[in-house]
Amino acid sequence: MKVNGFELRRVRMPLVAPFETSFGTQTERDVLLLRAAGPDAEGWGECVAMGSPLYSPEWVDGAAAVIREFLLPALVPAAAALTGPAVAEQLAKIKGHPMAKAAVEMAVLDAELRASGMALSSYLGAVRTRVAAGVSVGIMSSIGELLDAVAGYLDAGYVRIKLKIKPGWDLQPVRAVRERFGDDLLLQVDANTAYSLSDARQLARLDDFGLLLIEQPLPEDDLRGHAALAALLRTPVCLDESVTSARAAADAIALGACRVVNVKPGRVGGYLEARRVHDVCSAHGVPVWCGGMLETGIGRAANVALAALPGFTLPGDTSASDRYFDRDITAPFVLRDGHLDVPSGPGIGVEPDQAALDSVTTHSEWIGLE
Ligand code: OSB
Ligand code: MG
């Protein structure tokens, strides 16, 4: 499929409430969107890099720069006949920048699938038409505020709660949520690398609360530390930041560093590598779930398609649009009985609402592929 060029669009969307993690507080989502355009179809990609390099080394301005200066120019020789899988091949010689690469691949894959009339979910191998929705609940200024937020999400129908934790905000919020909502609540925690192995004794106290998992307690390059910690905990260790590829997932599993994996397509360089992470984990009997990066409806549509693969046996952080934004840039994803429907139209199956998109766009540029 021929691609003439890409529109890079920066959008700025206020979050419905501040989202605090161990690495910082976000009040808005500053997102980079890509539109691949060719004579046969156009397709959308969303870059999940955040405003600052606090979750991973990428950030949105840096992603825009690498896309403009290196990634799109590397596609030029293949622009007359591009496919989703060809994108990673063309970009392989450029080191790093998985989130930027993932956005480019997603836009091309979406265009290719729209041109051929196939849904991304079918292409990836989905086995479900709807996926169970969990929600990631930020660090709050008080336990009361946290309990009110969790109560609201449970009323809305979310089937699993993830609490963000950090040293000083761990046992107390977990205990409070367990006591208030009971032992049947599917509950897990995410530390975003905020602990060290010397915190093992404190983290082992979480074992009393029947958590589904503890996500990324230690730094991303500390697989041995996670393996040592996993041996000291009954709570399963899940990795997020550490799993940067299918190979990294295989290594982590072989080392005993995790029993569960959070799959984020941006973090691993795209939906095709995300499927390989899923495949490696499934081959080892390791359950996976789909993480989130506060995506707009564009990225959410693709995540929901991925989450419909057979190995995604745990509820993901694929929440409804209104958990993030007053107005999404696509038709909103809504919770029905605790689930989101997997889009069934061609490609990612959703379109941006032009008026909504224009109202949040802060910058747009066209990059032709000559
Ligand atoms: O660690 O999973 C994470 C959001 C931004 C960056 C990292 C993470 C998160 C979340 C929210 O937990 C997931 C979502 O609802 O999109
Ligand atoms: Mg995480």
Side-chain angles (χ1 to χ4, degrees), residues 226-268:
H226 281 101
L229 181 64
L232 298 170
L233 302 184
R234 267 184 286 125
T235 308
V237 170
C238 169
L239 292 176
D240 172 358
E241 285 88 334
S242 295
V243 178
T244 52
S245 65
R247 184 179 289 132
D251 289 352
I253 294 166
L255 280 169
C258 65
R259 282 201 271 153
V260 183
V261 168
N262 166 334
V263 183
K264 287 181 184 170
R267 196 192 61 223
V268 302

Side-chain angles (χ1 to χ4, degrees), residues 67 69-79 87 90-91 93-94 369:
I67 288 171
E69 292 173 37
F70 297 100
L71 303 187
L72 299 187
L75 295 183
V76 169
V87 171
Q90 291 298 122
L91 302 183
K93 63 180 179 291
I94 298 158
L369 295 188

Side-chain angles (χ1 to χ4, degrees), residues 32-364:
L32 181 63
L33 299 175
L34 257 63
R35 182 173 61 87
D40 305 318
E42 58 175 35
W44 289 90
E46 176 165 342
C47 180
V48 300
M50 312 246 110
S52 318
L54 301 176
Y55 164 80
S56 73
E58 293 180 271
W59 80 105
V60 63
D61 281 327
V66 80
I67 288 171
R68 194 187 289 122
E69 292 173 37
F70 297 100
L71 303 187
L72 299 187
L75 295 183
V76 169
L82 262 184
T83 62
V87 171
E89 272 170 50
Q90 291 298 122
L91 302 183
K93 63 180 179 291
I94 298 158
K95 306 291 189 195
H97 303 283
M99 293 174 176
K101 289 175 176 174
V104 175
E105 182 197 83
M106 179 182 166
V108 172
L109 188 54
D110 183 36
E112 179 191 359
L113 292 173
R114 283 183 202 262
S116 64
M118 180 183 268
L120 177 64
S121 55
S122 310
Y123 176 84
L124 293 174
V127 295
R128 283 183 273 274
T129 57
R130 53 179 218 153
V131 299
V135 59
S136 175
V137 185
I139 293 164
M140 309 244 163
S141 47
S142 70
I143 296 290
E145 201 189 328
L146 176 72
L147 293 176
D148 289 347
V150 171
Y153 291 130
L154 293 177
D155 284 345
Y158 287 103
V159 302
R160 182 227 70 190
I161 298 292
K162 162 170 136 180
L163 302 180
K164 290 292 194 178
I165 59 168
K166 65 178 182 181
W169 180 267
D170 44 31
L171 287 177
Q172 243 205 323
V174 168
R175 180 182 295 115
V177 167
R178 258 296 173 244
E179 278 175 3
R180 166 82 179 272
F181 300 103
D183 290 343
D184 290 343
L185 172 67
L186 300 183
L187 184 63
Q188 63 193 53
V189 294
D190 184 1
N192 290 109
T193 75
Y195 293 86
S196 55
L197 196 49
S198 57
D199 296 314
R201 196 188 299 251
Q202 171 77 358
L203 293 173
R205 295 174 70 190
L206 289 169
D207 282 345
D208 293 340
F209 299 104
L211 301 177
L212 285 169
L213 57 88
I214 176 170
E215 181 178 346
Q216 198 71 43
L218 307 181
E220 66 251 41
D221 59 353
D222 194 5
L223 287 185
R224 285 215 302 182
H226 281 101
L229 181 64
L232 298 170
L233 302 184
R234 267 184 286 125
T235 308
V237 170
C238 169
L239 292 176
D240 172 358
E241 285 88 334
S242 295
V243 178
T244 52
S245 65
R247 184 179 289 132
D251 289 352
I253 294 166
L255 280 169
C258 65
R259 282 201 271 153
V260 183
V261 168
N262 166 334
V263 183
K264 287 181 184 170
R267 196 192 61 223
V268 302
Y271 285 85
L272 300 177
E273 184 70 6
R275 180 170 59 182
R276 289 190 281 270
V277 174
H278 161 273
D279 294 349
V280 161
C281 291
S282 292
H284 286 89
V286 169
V288 303
W289 53 279
C290 185
M293 292 291 288
L294 314 175
E295 286 89 347
T296 75
I298 300 285
R300 190 163 311 282
N303 283 350
V304 166
L306 179 71
L309 268 62
F312 285 78
T313 54
L314 292 168
D317 282 345
T318 44
S319 308
S321 294
D322 69 0
R323 180 258 173 271
Y324 309 94
F325 314 111
D326 280 327
R327 186 186 187 192
D328 208 335
I329 56 173
T330 61
F333 279 83
V334 293
L335 219 51
R336 280 199 308 118
D337 192 23
H339 291 66
L340 298 185
D341 288 329
V342 179
S344 57
I348 63 171
V350 302
E351 315 281 337
D353 167 336
Q354 196 64 47
L357 180 59
D358 287 343
S359 73
V360 292
T361 297
T362 56
H363 174 81
S364 164

